[in-house]
Amino acid sequence: MPASSSNSASPANATVQQGKGLWRPSVVVFATLLVPVLAAVLFYQLDSFDPGPIPLHELSSVPPINALLVNDHILAGAEFLGKGQLKGPEDIAYDPKSQLIYTGCEDGWIKRVTVNESSANSLVQNWVNTGGRPLGLVVGHNNELIVADSYKGLLNISKDGSVELLTDSAEDVKFKLTDAVDVAEDGTIYFTDASYKYNYHEFIWDILEGRPYGRLHSYGPVTKETKVLVRNLYFANGVVITPDQNYVVFCETPLRRCRKLQIQGEKKGEIERFVEDLPGYPDNILYDGEGHFWIAFSSGVLKGWEMAFRYPFIRKVTALMEKYVGRPSVERNGGVFAVDLEGKPVAHYYDSELSMISSGIKIQSHLYCGSIKYPFIIRLNLDRYAATHHSSRK
């Protein structure tokens, strides 16, 4: 019996020992998975960044609008102006008298670029360094250049290169990200402060926080008065005055829309829709003098970003990645979207390989695009590479 009992217990002991052997690696695997999760939860709870909820009625809930005419591979025919000499040429202002393009770069330089038939013959000249980061700019009525410098504020640069600060605050609130600018026929300057909380190199935090820190302003060159025209904007970006001088159109990047403020007539001060549900995130908006506004897209619509705008916790996770790991670059399909005077879609020029396009404008027979990413201005011959009714690449 003892011998029999010993033999019968051996399989059970073997099973127990085998179970213990399987249990140990299971604990290791479990701990390996659990520790990063707990660490992530701890980081999430302890980090002070607190994204706000964007009201759902402010967000687009319908499919993006489309233009009938499309060129979805503009890089295939593009030329590059000032390659290597233009670090992040954010906006483009054209002076038809001198046939020069003015653009502001990452290194503080406002540069002048000649417009020639051949891109190889285009010359780049360092003109004025603002000591900040020039973004939006427009040629004034007396050959001066009005500049929205993200760090300095609103500047006036005379034709001889003298720099004058016009304004850097409104209602005792300093501008943190002076962004885009245009000037009316009566000399009034309209411009945006994208955020009064975050500066240019922190712009992603404004978008991730999701609170309306942007404003639209006017500046009177005679009265020297700065007025806040519209408050509580979500990353107030591009601004342009309509050719009839009745409205100023302004863009809100994360909401994928442009609205217009009436600045003349009985309804002065009222805000109306201009174009909504855009197929990209708008930056600058420019008028070409031929009946079309050109809206630059930093990226086409991204499902991840659309979800993030609806759910603050996704934006907080993205912020933690930005802070501790680095946010992956997911932007694509950057380009320019043309609309008519009523805001109706006309044409869409973009490329899957492009991102962070910040401005676009038709000058003569070419489309010129600026960006905060590339070391050149992109130029496309619209006679040879015009948008068509059918995209050639799906």
Side-chain angles (χ1 to χ4, degrees):
M1 291 295 295
S4 174
S5 175
S6 176
N7 291 337
S8 64
S10 295
N13 289 336
T15 301
V16 170
Q17 295 299 322
Q18 185 179 13
K20 289 180 178 179
L22 292 172
W23 182 78
R24 291 190 186 97
S26 298
V27 171
V28 174
V29 172
F30 181 72
T32 302
L33 295 174
L34 183 61
V35 169
V37 172
L38 291 175
V41 171
L42 185 64
F43 271 116
Y44 186 93
Q45 295 294 333
L46 294 180
D47 194 273
S48 61
F49 185 70
D50 181 30
I54 300 177
L56 292 180
H57 71 271
E58 298 280 16
L59 296 169
S60 176
S61 59
V62 300
I65 59 175
N66 294 310
L68 291 176
L69 304 176
V70 176
N71 179 341
D72 64 0
H73 56 287
I74 63 174
L75 285 178
E79 303 171 277
F80 306 118
L81 273 62
K83 194 170 184 179
Q85 301 178 69
L86 301 170
K87 187 177 180 182
E90 199 268 350
D91 194 14
I92 292 172
Y94 178 62
D95 180 10
K97 296 177 183 178
S98 62
Q99 294 193 324
L100 291 173
I101 284 176
Y102 291 85
T103 187
C105 297
E106 181 74 32
D107 53 12
W109 279 103
I110 293 175
K111 305 203 178 190
R112 298 195 289 203
V113 184
T114 59
V115 176
N116 297 313
E117 282 301 315
S118 171
S119 60
N121 294 329
S122 294
L123 302 177
V124 177
Q125 175 194 9
N126 291 342
W127 185 50
V128 173
N129 195 306
T130 67
R133 202 323 178 181
L135 295 177
L137 28 78
V138 61
V139 178
H141 301 319
N142 299 306
N143 298 318
E144 78 279 22
L145 193 70
I146 310 298
V147 179
D149 188 293
S150 63
Y151 287 103
K152 299 293 184 177
L154 188 67
L155 307 178
N156 180 300
I157 305 179
S158 65
K159 58 184 179 181
D160 64 3
S162 300
V163 180
E164 175 190 2
L165 174 65
L166 299 179
T167 179
D168 61 0
S169 66
E171 298 179 345
D172 297 322
V173 178
K174 282 273 191 179
F175 308 146
K176 290 297 289 285
L177 211 172
T178 322
D179 199 337
V181 63
D182 200 5
V183 59
E185 289 179 358
D186 66 3
T188 303
I189 299 168
Y190 295 87
F191 65 102
T192 53
D193 178 24
S195 175
Y196 60 77
K197 182 175 181 179
Y198 297 98
N199 66 37
Y200 171 72
H201 287 96
E202 300 167 335
F203 78 89
I204 190 63
W205 295 98
D206 184 277
I207 292 174
L208 290 173
E209 185 172 333
R211 290 188 171 88
Y213 295 126
R215 298 179 293 174
L216 173 67
H217 308 279
S218 68
Y219 175 81
V222 176
T223 64
K224 311 296 184 184
E225 183 181 6
T226 304
K227 295 180 181 179
V228 181
L229 302 179
V230 185
R231 300 172 176 80
N232 302 320
L233 299 177
Y234 291 88
F235 204 85
N237 212 319
V239 60
V240 67
I241 297 161
T242 57
D244 61 11
Q245 302 294 297
N246 287 330
Y247 296 91
V248 56
V249 180
F250 57 93
C251 304
E252 292 175 277
T253 300
L255 302 186
R256 292 193 286 114
R257 72 183 182 191
C258 302
R259 294 186 289 169
K260 60 182 183 179
L261 171 72
Q262 187 150 353
I263 55 177
Q264 304 282 355
E266 295 181 358
K267 294 184 178 180
K268 183 178 179 179
E270 291 190 10
I271 298 175
E272 303 174 23
R273 297 178 181 180
F274 182 64
V275 58
E276 297 181 330
D277 309 312
L278 288 165
Y281 302 102
D283 199 307
N284 281 303
I285 177 171
L286 302 175
Y287 181 62
D288 64 6
E290 300 177 5
H292 297 114
F293 296 99
W294 296 79
I295 306 170
F297 290 160
S298 57
S299 172
V301 176
L302 299 168
K303 291 182 179 179
W305 272 116
E306 294 301 295
M307 289 288 289
F309 294 141
R310 293 182 179 276
Y311 301 104
F313 81 90
I314 297 180
R315 278 182 273 128
K316 182 159 185 174
V317 170
T318 305
L320 291 174
M321 291 177 62
E322 176 80 18
K323 184 182 292 187
Y324 298 108
V325 181
R327 182 177 55 89
S329 178
V330 296
E331 291 80 12
R332 60 194 302 269
N333 292 323
V336 189
F337 195 73
V339 300
D340 65 17
L341 296 179
E342 302 300 320
K344 296 177 181 178
V346 174
H348 193 180
Y349 290 85
Y350 67 99
D351 197 289
S352 62
E353 299 300 317
L354 284 177
S355 63
M356 309 313 289
I357 298 300
S358 51
S359 59
I361 184 64
K362 180 179 181 289
I363 302 172
Q364 298 169 10
S365 61
H366 290 83
L367 173 63
Y368 292 79
C369 298
S371 79
I372 61 172
K373 177 179 179 180
Y374 304 110
F376 46 75
I377 290 174
I378 299 169
R379 185 171 85 163
L380 185 72
N381 187 319
L382 295 180
D383 291 335
R384 296 182 60 188
Y385 302 102
T388 63
H389 283 277
H390 298 285
S391 173
S392 62
R393 185 171 67 190
K394 303 297 183 181

